[in-house]
Structures are given as C-alpha cells and as structure tokens.
Amino acid sequence: MDLIYTAAQTQFRAEVRDWLKAHIPAAPLPSFDTDVGFAAHREWEKTLAQGDFGMVTWPKEFGGRGCDLIDWLIFEEEYYRAGAPLRVNQNGIFLLGPTLMEYGTPAQKKRFISAMASGSEMWAQGWSEPGAGSDMAAIRCRADRDGDEFVINGQKIWSTRAVFADWVFCLLRTDPESSRHHGLSFILVPLDAPGVTVRPIPQLNGLPGFAEIFFDDVRVSDFNLIGEEGGGWAIAMATAGFERGLMLRSPARFQQASKRLVELYRQRQNDILDLSIEDSVVRCYMDAEAYALSTYQTASRLINNGAIGPESSCNKIFWSELDLSIHETAMSLLGAKAEIEPSSPDADQQLSNWLDGFLFAQSGPIYAGTNEIQRNIIAERMLGMPRR
Amino acid sequence: MNFTFNDDQLLFRDSVRDLLSNEVTAERIRQRWDSDSGVDSAALQSLVDLGLTAALVPEEQGGLGLNTVDFILIAEECGRAALPEPIVDSCLVATPMLVDADRALEGSDSRLGELLQAIASGDQTVLCGPSINPYINFAHSADYLLLPHGNEVHLVAIDAVQLELQTSVDLSRRLSKVSWQPRSETCIARGEMGADLWRSTLNRGALANAAQLLGLSEAMVARSVQFATDREQFGRPIGVNQAVKHLLADCAVKAEFAKPAIYRAAYTVAVAPTRADWSVSHAKASAGDAARAASRNCTQVHGAMGYTWECDLHIWMKRAWTLDREWGDAGFHKNRIHEWLLQPNALLGPQYTFGRRHLGDAVNPTIAV
Ligand SMILES: Cc1cc2nc3c(=O)[nH]c(=O)nc-3n(C[C@H](O)[C@H](O)[C@H](O)COP(=O)(O)OP(=O)(O)OC[C@H]3O[C@@H](n4cnc5c(N)ncnc54)[C@H](O)[C@@H]3O)c2cc1C
C-alpha cells in the first residue's frame, strides 16, 4: 500500500489542471437538455478531444492516452475541481465505448470509437421499454433479420438525451420465438434512419432530458450488430457492469458537491438550522470520501490484475443515496429560498445549481437499475442469499 | 499510488483467520464467561506463536518490525472471531505507544527496550488506559499499564495499581477501573512528547476498534445469511423475502464503504499517527455505523431467536455495542470531523483525498500523506 502519487501522476495532474484552466468555457454552458446547450456541450467534447482528454483511459489509436485508472481518477478530480461542463456523451464514452473495446470487431471499433471520442457522434442508450423496466428481460422491441440487414419495429423509452443524440445502442429481440434473456441482440441504430421517431419526454425540471423512440420498419446493416446474434444479454450485463461498477459516477463529482455543501454550511452556520444538519454535513463529507477511497481501492486492484467483484453492486446504492443526502441537506440550508427557479430575479448561480442538482438526484436511485434491484443483487450475488 | 494489500499481508490475514475460526468458537467464548480470568490460554498462546505479539515490535527488539497496515487486517479478523482477549489493544495500541516512546527517548530508558522484547516473545503484556476510556479491558491480565497524568505517560506495574472490576453487558469483557498514584519513576514521557504519544494512541485505539467493528459486522451478516437460508417459514427459506434480503444488503453496503476508510486510516497512522485525526475519525464513525446497523438488522433477521441468550449472535452484537463507544463514540469522532470541516484552512475537495503531497506542497497538517 502506497498512498502517495508518483512523480508521473503528479505531472499528469498538473498537465490536466493547466489545460483545463486554459480551455474551460468562461461562463457555464446552458443545460445540455436544450438545443443550444447540447450544441455547446458537443463543442466542448470536441475541444476535449483536441487536447486528447476525451477519454484518457482509451488506447491512443482511439483518441485516448492509454492511461490507467488512477490517472483517470486524477483526471476526474481535476475536471470536477475546475467545474468543467458535464459530459454530454457519457452514454457513449462510459458505457458503449468500453463495450465496443471488449466485444466489437476491429472494423466496428474503427468505425464507432474514434467518432465517439472526437465528439462528432453522440449516443443514447435504448434498453428500457414501457413493459421492460426493472424486468429488462421482458424486452419486446424486435429486430428481424432480412439478409444482411435487420428490420426494427417497436418502442424504447426513457432514453437519455435521445432528443439530440445521433445514435442509440439498443437491446432488441432478434429471435421472435425466444423469451426472457435469450434471443436478444445488441444493435446500434442511427437516430436519423427512416422510420425512427423520437418523442421528447420532459423531466422534473421541464426539459426533455429523455425520450421515447419508435421504430417503424427501420433498416440497419448487420455491421451494427455487436457480438453474436442472440448474445446481447451478456453484453448488456457487461455494459451495466461498467455503469454500476466504476465509470458512470466518478467520486470527484460527489467530493466537489460535498465541498460546496460544507461551504454553504459555513455561510449558514450562525442561523437557526434543522437539528440534523450538522450530522448530515459531516456524513455527506465522509461518504463522498469513502466513495472516492473505495474507487481508488478498486482501481488499484484492477491495475494489479484483480477483478471487479460482486461487491461493486454496493456502489450504485451508495453514490445515489449520497447524492440525495448532499442535495437534501443543501435544500435545508437554503430554506425557503430553495424553491426559486433559475429564471427568477432573485435566483443566482448557487441557488440554481442546488435546485437543479436536487431535482436530478431524485432519479439516481431509479436509473442504472433501481436501488431495490441492487439490494436484491447484493443479497443474492454478494451475500449468497437464496433466490427462491 | 497503490491502495491494495500485498500478498504477505493477505497471507498473514488468512493464517490468523484460519486459526481463529478453529480456536475461538462461540462455545469456547462462552466457556471464558464462567472463568475468573476470562482468558483462554491455549488460544492466546497460538496467537503468540503466530507472531501477533511480535508483529509491531521492531526487529532489534526481537519483533517482526511490521506496521499498522500489516496489522489492520489482523484486527479485522479478531473482530470477526469476537476474540475476547485484548490482543488488538495490546499489539496495535499499547505496543506501538511503547515503541514510539522508546524512539523518542532514543533508547535512553532501558526498561522500554526490555519490555518490548518481553512483549514480542509473549512473556509480558502491556495495555493502556487513556483518559477517554473510563475502564481498561483485561487490565488484570496485563503486567504493565500505560496511564495518563495530564500529558504525562506513566508505565506502571500492575501490582502498583488498584483495580475495581466492573461487569460489562458483554461478558467476554473484563473491565476495571484503575486507581493509582503517579510517581516520578513511573513517568516515561511528559510535555509535548507525552501529548503526542497520547494523541497517536487515541488514533490507534480508535482505529483498532474500527477494524474490529468491521469484522464484527461482517460476521453478524454472515451468520444471518446462514440463518435466513436454513430457517423456513411459509414453506421456504425466510431469506427469499426481499424485506429480509434488503436488511442485510443495507448492512453490506455500510461495511463495504467503511472498509477503505479504515485502510486509509491504517496507512495514515502508520506514516504519521499524530496527524491522522481526520482519517481515523472517519474510519471509527463509519465502522461504528456499520456495526450498529448490523447489530440491529441481524437481530431482526433472527426473529425471537435473536433475542435469546442461547443464540450466539449476541456474542458479536454486544461486542459491537461496546467497541462502538470505546476510544471515542460516534459523537466524539463526528465532532472532530465537524471541527475540521469548519476550519477555514481545511483542504476540501476531490484533489485532497490523500493530502496535498501530490501538489508538491508541504504535507497537509491535518490529513498527512
Ligand atoms: C433519469 C433517468 C434516465 C434514464 N435513462 C435511461 C436510458 O438512457 N436508457 C434506458 O434504457 N433506460 C433509461 N432509464 C430507465 C431506467 O433504467 C428504468 O427507469 C429503471 O430500470 C426502472 O424501470 P421502471 O422505471 O420501469 O420502474 P419499474 O421497474 O416499474 O419499478 C418501479 C418500482 O418498483 C420497484 N421494483 C420493480 N421490480 C422490483 C423487484 N423485483 N423487487 C423490488 N422492487 C421492484 C422498483 O425498484 C421501483 O421502485 C432512465 C431512467 C431515469 C429515471
């Protein structure tokens, strides 16, 4: 155990810090769930790519730097510390990217990864359906083989940022006779293909952060099939592993938020506060640290040829509940002013950020596998409790 | 940067775990309850043979020269086994205090070096009684006690103190209130040196309990998983019910995230024990939280059985209750963190998880390393 950064790691941190300082947009970008905001965030992804900071852990040939996971953590720390824009293409870079690296053919990698890394193609995730939420194996949306093409019919829902994205990676039923997790395939679909209709769904903040996607005889080449036909479930599970395991929510995000919480608390410290606030602030800070430490531990283990174990299913519950606590505590500290919308004369950046974060935190325990499902997974796979 | 244990550390952990699971069974723990000393000498001797008492003694004094990181997994195992003997208190807390004192005095007090040799060989035992703890566990079984008088550290032979036994809710514990008179020949450190020694010792004690609390939590959850698999109601194991699953999953999440806090604290204590307040308090508060949750939820999972004397669960649960309050309770440790968070110069934010060394600045005075 050695908890001191190497000279090279320190050097890398300094490089990231300097680069971000020189390149971060002067004013915060508008929400990426608006037309203008999405375009601005896409530009930012391109800027990142030009600095080779799009996805530092990826191999050089795909626009990365071949960094290890500790460097990734350092990058993320500096990224959140600097208040850089949120990653509009997280579905692509955190979920599909690693999936393609593992399961894509060389031609598929060449076609999709670089475009993703360079910020020119934005991705949405199309797994959930009206009848297939927690029970994802109930997927019905079909992709019927026709020669070297698939013909897609059906519907997806809750697809994050599909309103503005270019592509969606789907889990589709390619074997009409199959049921449950058999006969599903992992297929990439361009959202501008004829027969695709995207219907925005406004979220709690009123913006169209996700969408329904309807497929009506949509034809895609079987080049877009990732892995084996009918083998999509295992690939999707691996993708979900990246999502819950490590990448989706880097610890720096919560450390930065809990730091802002402490600052807010210091401002209000002499006011009359809810009696639980002291405790909540301390807990939030501790938990954000714990999540960071846990990620460093996992990263170190992976670097030393270890594997992500079933205990990684604890992550998602921990960060989503932490995010809720941080924002609930901040709302308490802001008191009756917390409700002020960004468009109000009295609103300022601080109020708006907290309200926005508070609204978004409500979804954390739901997306990426609800926390109830995670608890089932922990009980059954990590603790070994009986399924039935 | 490498936040893993090495093979030697894991191997040491495994051999201690194996030994404890054979030698320290619930049945043998209950036998101790009926004895005066509360000690199982056979079990104790096998731990000495494995090198536990020698672990943190420097090699020059016949020890293994290991550090807190090497021993932290051992402390966890002692918790998992609910080991009654105060091995962790003596090896991970009192021994390093003597080592620190001997170093600070540059070996000028020969009593310390000799005592460390006797500790390494298992011939003598030392425990410490910081002012934060009202009682010393197993004081009667020690040869010497390290006791505070203001900032002074006194090394007092057991026959020079009076012990008043108290009965703990955890019958494995043997608490004593200690009465004694400070004398100049027993004083081994004073002033700033004494204050530093007590500060480090408080951190080591809290860390030692945190690690044991983690082991206790995991042991309670493991027992409850077994119980929930074996016990049937409505024609199937109670463990198939989500209400039961989720009680235990919640415990697992808490334990899982107490872990890295404990390991970071172990590292920080190994490198700079006087500057480990923040990381130790984090470890102790989160491990206590995990252990309290495990105690409550695991009793619930056991139904009425969990409320009986016969069911072994309370061996672990009562230990968890007591260790959670010793060496500073949750309030003490959260207050230390709270105080630190309010310091205008506290280094907060994602880049300071491991202090500020990486920025080439001076070592962070609060977190160290
Ligand atoms: C902000 C946001 C973004 C999202 N982005 C995407 C995306 O990009 N792509 C995509 O495909 N999907 C996305 N989703 C959908 C998400 O994956 C689903 O919402 C999630 O899987 C839950 O499904 P559901 O909403 O149908 O809830 P349901 O499955 O209907 O669950 C409702 C409630 O019942 C509980 N429940 C259900 N089954 C069980 C069980 N077996 N045991 C215990 N409790 C149970 C759930 O935990 C939950 O509390 C997103 C969701 C949100 C909120």
Side-chain angles (χ1 to χ4, degrees), chain B residues 88-90 92-94 97 127-137 146 173 197-210 212 280-281 284-285 322-330 332-333 336:
Chain B
V88 180
D89 293 322
S90 59
L92 190 56
V93 189
M97 189 179 196
L127 290 169
C128 56
S131 46
I132 199 165
N133 294 339
Y135 311 114
I136 302 182
N137 191 24
L146 286 159
R173 281 162 72 81
L197 284 171
W198 284 119
R199 189 166 189 179
S200 304
T201 298
L202 172 58
N203 283 336
R204 290 202 185 94
L207 173 67
N209 276 23
Q212 290 175 87
V280 164
S281 284
K284 179 71 168 33
T322 61
L323 296 191
D324 178 38
R325 306 220 157 76
E326 199 187 50
W327 293 106
D329 62 7
F332 174 86
H333 289 288
R336 283 212 311 193

Side-chain angles (χ1 to χ4, degrees), chain A residues 1-5 10 13 81 255-256 265-266 278-279 286 289 297 300 375-376 380 386 388, chain B residues 1-3 240 242 245-246 250 257 263-264 267 282 334 338 341 343 349-351 353 357-358:
Chain A
M1 192 177 294
D2 172 12
L3 303 186
I4 296 179
Y5 295 99
T10 303
R13 182 186 292 279
R81 173 185 172 276
Q255 289 181 295
Q256 190 64 21
Y265 173 60
R266 286 176 181 171
E278 227 174 65
D279 188 61
M286 282 188 347
E289 287 276 302
Q297 217 180 7
S300 299
R375 286 186 168 86
N376 294 347
E380 289 165 13
R388 58 182 69 86
Chain B
M1 175 64 57
N2 177 6
F3 200 1
V240 303
Q242 282 191 355
K245 285 191 169 126
H246 291 194
D250 284 340
F257 285 92
Y263 303 154
R264 174 181 65 172
Y267 180 88
H282 179 190
K334 284 193 201 162
H338 183 246
L341 289 177
Q343 275 177 32
Q351 72 275 35
T353 307
R357 269 268 187 86
H358 57 274

Side-chain angles (χ1 to χ4, degrees), chain A residues 21-36:
Chain A
K21 206 183 215 169
H23 291 86
I24 281 185
L29 304 182
S31 163
F32 51 29
D33 293 327
T34 61
D35 235 334
V36 189

